[in-house]
Amino acid sequence: MRTFSLKKAGLCLMVMAGLATMTAPAANAQDVTTGSATATILAVLSVTATQALNFGNVYQGVAKTQDETSDANSGIFTITGAAAANISCYFQLPEFVALANGSDRMTITFSSTDATFSVLDAAAPSTPSAPGLGATLNTNPRNLTGTAIGAGGTSQIFLGGKVIPSVNQTAGAYSADIVLTVAYLGT
Amino acid sequence: MITTTTTPPTSTRRARWGFLFSLVTVLALTGNLAAGVLVAPTVVLLSDKNRTARLEINNPGTTPQEVTIAFAYGLPESDSIGNVRVALQNTNVTDPRSAMEWVKAFPRQMVIPPNGSQVIRFVVNPPKGLADGEYWARVVVRSKESEQTIPKPSEEGSITTKLNMIMQTAIMLKYRTGTLNSLVAITGSEAVKTDSTVVVTMDMENRGNVSYVGVLTCRLLDTNKKEISRTQTDLAVYRQLKRRMELPLNGVTSRCSVEVSLTTEGRTDLAPEDVIPGNKVFSTVEVDQGNR
């Protein structure tokens, strides 16, 4: 692993501290500076869940669809890495959400148009409702192809879905896992 | 073939700093919201001379992250039209180039606090008598928030859902032994004109004993060999690979050709000493004028 010199790391610390001052509350300035450990690393790959897919309250017998274009409720994944690098993105999506005690479960579906892949960078962040010109709209979350990190070093995936409660669905809080796996194709 | 350490050119260093600046900006802008971890480097390299390596995982977010490390096997594979993806295989791996069974990671489970980091160490214990070349595995770094809370229904008798977002990064691990040879060939190519682009597909085959890690460049040329457009991508050829590239015609209607080049030089995302220098391949493809 290659490391930057102390002088360069110091410069990077100043850059990070400056950004922290501009973009985060004062209490977080220290946090960002502490994150300088990442500045010693040549190349990184990061996948983050910026927002969980949220269906809000659901009622017995009434299916509810959450569109991937919803700024407030779509699932948002952010991928950060080497600019323009080709990546493989693979979703493992649940077929059911279940109560914690396992006593009941509810169908959840993802259609072949429930995802958007956006490549705008952090300087002009995209949103589910405005994913930008370079975005691949209404694509299949189970078969994401041609995915790459944006020129600015980041890409985003917006995900929608549908839950289908039965007429006698037990009231309560249901949960399941959505797994996104990302790999570089060029290494 | 033995790699040598060289000082990166200024343009390479600039590119790295540009990338770092972008990354820092992204983290600064998303750090308060995001749940996930940062993994580096993007390739873990081991060899018969250096049987240990490390990976650093950083949690830039504001909540603790539960992280697990696992091994899988998966090479970049292409479909019939040149889309490439990595399909991970966790069990029943029969490829003799798999290193999955003889590499270990420490630790394999951890909780990383906000702004904390953890070093993962790898130790390889290869079987005796391995043929020269490269052996591969994927390090799967799985992260999720360590405190999962399910929202309570805001109305009595109603239903709520909580979808736990779990992130996995699959990092390539390579073990190198003996004499290394990086060699690739273009075994087929096609260029077809559409309304506004030329679509180039290339079949490549690895003929060495290591992954061919390099840069693929396509230049669209007019009849006077003047460049109309170009596109470039990093790639890694492990066995066979088909790649599809699109080149804008930029309004040109006359006959044209595509010049294709493959080289292991010019990778700005990898340390030069980590790239095995390989052969350079040049090819020219005449563009089929028919619409598709």
Side-chain angles (χ1 to χ4, degrees), chain A residues 1-2 4 8-9 11-12 15-16 19-20 23-25 28 31-32 34-35 37-60 75-78 80-90 92 94 97 100 106 108 110 122-123 142-143 145-146 152-154 163 165 169-187, chain B residues 5-8 13 16-17 19-30 32-43 54-56 58 60 62 76-77 79 83-88 115-117 138 140 142-144 150-172 174 211 213-214 233-236 238 243 267-274:
Chain A
M1 187 186 307
R2 294 174 62 83
F4 293 104
K8 286 178 179 174
L11 175 63
C12 186
V15 171
M16 296 178 90
L19 280 168
T23 61
N28 282 345
D31 296 344
V32 176
T34 307
T38 61
T40 61
I41 295 163
L42 186 63
V44 299
L45 180 60
S46 168
V47 188
T48 56
T50 312
Q51 179 171 285
L53 177 59
N54 179 23
F55 289 93
N57 282 338
V58 179
Y59 300 95
Q60 280 90 345
I76 303 176
F77 291 89
T78 302
T80 309
N86 292 292
I87 51 173
S88 170
C89 300
Y90 174 69
Q92 291 167 268
V97 285
M106 177 168 62
I108 183 170
F110 299 88
R142 289 189 172 85
N143 187 27
T145 57
T154 184
V163 286
Q169 191 80 50
T170 306
Y174 291 73
S175 69
D177 293 343
I178 291 178
V179 182
L180 173 63
T181 304
V182 177
Y184 275 124
L185 294 178
T187 56
Chain B
T5 303
T6 56
T7 303
R13 291 198 298 268
R16 285 175 185 162
W17 276 100
F19 166 67
L20 179 63
F21 186 82
S22 303
L23 178 67
V24 168
T25 306
V26 169
L27 292 177
L29 292 172
T30 63
N32 288 340
L33 301 171
V37 295
L38 217 137
V39 179
T42 54
V43 184
R54 48 180 275 162
L55 182 78
E56 186 163 339
N58 185 271
T62 56
E77 295 173 350
D79 61 17
N83 290 316
V84 184
R85 66 183 302 176
V86 173
L88 295 181
N115 294 300
S117 63
R138 290 271 175 184
V140 180
R142 181 183 176 100
S143 67
K144 65 177 183 178
I150 301 176
K152 291 181 178 172
S154 59
E155 298 171 28
E156 195 174 337
S158 69
I159 300 162
T160 60
T161 59
K162 162 75 175 180
L163 290 160
N164 305 311
M165 311 292 251
I166 298 174
M167 285 66 68
Q168 293 191 153
T169 51
I171 301 297
M172 181 53 87
K174 300 179 181 184
S211 52
V213 176
T233 189
D234 295 341
L235 90 169
Y238 286 79
R243 282 304 300 259
R267 288 293 294 256
T268 56
D269 59 324
L270 299 171
E273 64 269 27
D274 292 343

Side-chain angles (χ1 to χ4, degrees), chain B residues 190-209:
Chain B
E190 182 187 41
V192 177
K193 187 184 275 188
T194 66
D195 289 342
S196 59
T197 63
V198 168
V199 177
V200 190
T201 51
M202 279 146 297
D203 292 295
M204 291 161 280
E205 185 176 279
N206 189 335
R207 293 180 177 172
N209 64 1

Side-chain angles (χ1 to χ4, degrees), chain B:
Chain B
M1 193 177 294
I2 304 298
T3 57
T4 55
T5 303
T6 56
T7 303
T10 306
S11 58
T12 305
R13 291 198 298 268
R14 278 195 198 122
R16 285 175 185 162
W17 276 100
F19 166 67
L20 179 63
F21 186 82
S22 303
L23 178 67
V24 168
T25 306
V26 169
L27 292 177
L29 292 172
T30 63
N32 288 340
L33 301 171
V37 295
L38 217 137
V39 179
T42 54
V43 184
V44 176
L45 292 172
L46 302 109
S47 69
D48 47 8
K49 297 176 184 63
N50 187 4
R51 295 191 175 196
T52 61
R54 48 180 275 162
L55 182 78
E56 186 163 339
I57 302 173
N58 185 271
N59 175 11
T62 56
T63 57
Q65 293 287 305
E66 188 179 315
V67 177
T68 58
I69 307 294
F71 292 103
Y73 189 73
L75 306 178
E77 295 173 350
S78 47
D79 61 17
S80 59
I81 58 170
N83 290 316
V84 184
R85 66 183 302 176
V86 173
L88 295 181
Q89 195 178 345
N90 299 312
T91 55
N92 300 324
V93 177
T94 56
D95 191 327
R97 289 284 171 184
S98 169
M100 211 179 126
E101 299 297 327
W102 34 272
V103 60
K104 292 190 180 340
F106 306 97
R108 297 186 72 156
Q109 283 188 308
M110 69 222 76
V111 174
I112 303 179
N115 294 300
S117 63
Q118 173 75 49
V119 171
I120 310 297
R121 297 183 192 283
F122 298 95
V123 179
V124 68
N125 186 21
K128 289 180 179 175
L130 275 182
D132 287 359
E134 208 171 58
Y135 295 81
W136 310 304
R138 290 271 175 184
V139 181
V140 180
V141 180
R142 181 183 176 100
S143 67
K144 65 177 183 178
E145 283 188 34
S146 64
E147 297 163 3
Q148 301 282 357
T149 54
I150 301 176
K152 291 181 178 172
S154 59
E155 298 171 28
E156 195 174 337
S158 69
I159 300 162
T160 60
T161 59
K162 162 75 175 180
L163 290 160
N164 305 311
M165 311 292 251
I166 298 174
M167 285 66 68
Q168 293 191 153
T169 51
I171 301 297
M172 181 53 87
L173 180 146
K174 300 179 181 184
Y175 172 76
R176 293 169 175 168
T177 185
T179 303
L180 306 176
N181 181 23
S182 179
L183 189 67
V184 75
I186 295 176
T187 55
S189 54
E190 182 187 41
V192 177
K193 187 184 275 188
T194 66
D195 289 342
S196 59
T197 63
V198 168
V199 177
V200 190
T201 51
M202 279 146 297
D203 292 295
M204 291 161 280
E205 185 176 279
N206 189 335
R207 293 180 177 172
N209 64 1
V210 300
S211 52
Y212 185 93
V213 176
V215 178
L216 170 66
T217 305
C218 292
R219 297 172 65 223
L220 182 62
L221 307 174
D222 65 14
T223 49
N224 297 317
K225 301 296 178 192
K226 184 183 173 190
E227 185 176 295
I228 301 166
S229 60
R230 70 184 289 156
T231 185
Q232 186 172 301
T233 189
D234 295 341
L235 90 169
V237 185
Y238 286 79
R239 296 260 162 67
Q240 288 86 23
L241 192 74
K242 182 189 283 285
R243 282 304 300 259
R244 179 179 187 272
M245 312 275 275
E246 286 192 24
L247 292 151
L249 272 166
N250 293 335
V252 173
T253 56
S254 58
R255 293 198 71 85
C256 44
S257 60
V258 178
E259 185 185 274
V260 179
S261 68
L262 264 169
T263 175
T264 53
E265 295 173 357
R267 288 293 294 256
T268 56
D269 59 324
L270 299 171
E273 64 269 27
D274 292 343
V275 178
I276 307 293
N279 64 326
K280 294 180 182 177
V281 179
F282 296 95
S283 175
T284 300
V285 189
E286 291 301 320
V287 176
D288 183 345
Q289 298 293 308
N291 285 334
R292 177 172 278 190

